[in-house]
C-alpha cells in the first residue's frame, strides 16, 4: 500500500473518530465484492442496458449472497457507537444481513426480501408468505422502480440525518440519481465533511474533503481497524 493512500485512510479514521454524527451513504459499489452487479460501472446493469445488452446473469442464487468485508466494516462502526445513520440505495438486504439495526437504516429503494403495505407503509418479510397487512392493506414488493415514489419514512429520516451530520461518507455510489444526490448536498450545506469512496467519478468530487478511487474493501476495513486503535480498542 502506498504511503499516500495510507495517509488518506489515516485521515478518514481520524475524522470518524472526531465525528459526532457520522452518516454513511452506500450504493451498489459496496455490494459488487459480494458478486452483485454494479449499475454504472463498466459491467454495470445500466451501462449494459445503454449498449443494448442484457444484464449479466447472477453468478449464484440470491439467498447465498453474503455481506462482504465492507458491509462488515460499516457494521463495526455501529458496534463501536460511531454510526449515527446509514442510508442505502441498495435493495440487496446485505446491510441487514450483516447485522445493521433496522432503526439505523434507511433503504431508499426498498428491500428485495420485503413486502410493503400500500396502506400503512409497514414492511414484512416476503418469506412469511402474506398477501395482506394486519391493517387490511395490500402487501406489494417494497422495491422502488423508476418513476415510483420513494418510501416516505426512509426519505424523511435520510434528509434529517444528512442535515444533522458532521461527517458524510459516500461508499460506492456515483451520486447521479436524485434524491441520492440531494443528501451530500444537505450535509455540505450543514458544514459536514464529505468523504467519497467510489471508483468512478461523481458530481460531488470537487466538493469532497477526502476522495478515494480505490476499492472499497481496500479502504473501509482498514480505516475501521485504525479507528479501533484510536478508540483504545484492540482486536
Ligand atoms: Zn398496513
Amino acid at each position: 500500500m502506498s504511503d499516500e493512500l495510507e495517509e488518506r485512510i489515516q485521515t478518514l479514521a481520524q475524522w470518524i473518530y472526531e465525528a459526532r454524527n457520522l452518516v454513511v451513504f452506500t450504493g451498489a459499489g459496496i455490494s459488487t465484492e459480494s458478486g452483485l452487479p454494479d449499475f454504472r460501472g463498466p459491467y454495470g446493469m445500466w451501462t449494459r442496458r445503454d449498449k443494448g445488452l442484457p444484464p449479466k446473469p447472477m453468478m449464484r442464487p440470491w439467498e447465498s449472497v453474503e455481506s462482504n468485508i465492507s458491509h462488515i466494516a460499516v457494521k463495526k462502526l455501529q458496534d463501536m457507537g460511531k454510526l449515527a445513520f446509514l442510508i442505502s440505495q441498495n435493495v440487496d438486504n446485505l446491510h441487514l444481513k450483516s447485522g445493521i439495526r433496522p432503526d439505523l437504516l434507511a433503504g431508499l429503494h426498498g428491500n428485495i426480501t420485503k413486502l410493503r403495505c400500500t396502506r400503512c407503509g409497514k414492511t414484512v418479510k416476503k418469506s412469511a408468505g402474506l398477501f395482506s397487512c394486519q391493517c387490511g392493506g395490500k402487501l406489494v414488493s417494497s422495491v422502488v422502480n423508476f418513476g415510483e415514489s420513494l418510501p416516505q419514512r426512509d426519505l424523511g429520516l435520510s434528509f434529517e440525518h444528512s442535515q444533522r451530520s458532521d461527517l458524510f461518507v459516500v461508499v460506492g455510489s456515483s451520486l447521479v440519481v436524485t434524491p441520492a444526490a440531494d443528501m451530500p448536498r444537505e450535509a455540505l450545506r450543514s458544514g459536514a465533511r464529505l468523504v467519497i469512496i467510489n471508483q468512478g467519478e461523481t458530481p460531488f468530487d470537487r466538493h469532497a474533503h477526502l476522495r478515494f478511487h480505490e476499492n472499497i474493501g481496500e479502504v473501509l476495513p482498514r480505516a475501521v481497524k485504525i479507528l479501533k486503535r484510536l478508540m483504545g480498542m484492540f482486536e
Side-chain angles (χ1 to χ4, degrees), residues 117 119-122 133 135 137:
C117 172
R119 189 188 284 174
C120 72
K122 212 176 112 181
C133 177
C135 80

Side-chain angles (χ1 to χ4, degrees), residues 116-123 132-139:
R116 182 182 298 275
C117 172
T118 51
R119 189 188 284 174
C120 72
K122 212 176 112 181
T123 55
S132 55
C133 177
Q134 283 169 325
C135 80
K138 196 177 155 208
L139 291 171

Side-chain angles (χ1 to χ4, degrees), residues 30 33-34 66-76 216-218 220-221:
I30 193 171
E33 286 160 40
S34 291
E66 295 294 341
S67 318
N68 62 46
I69 51 170
S70 302
H71 295 103
I72 291 164
V74 178
K75 157 73 162 57
K76 283 185 180 165
I216 299 158
E218 226 178 304
L220 209 51

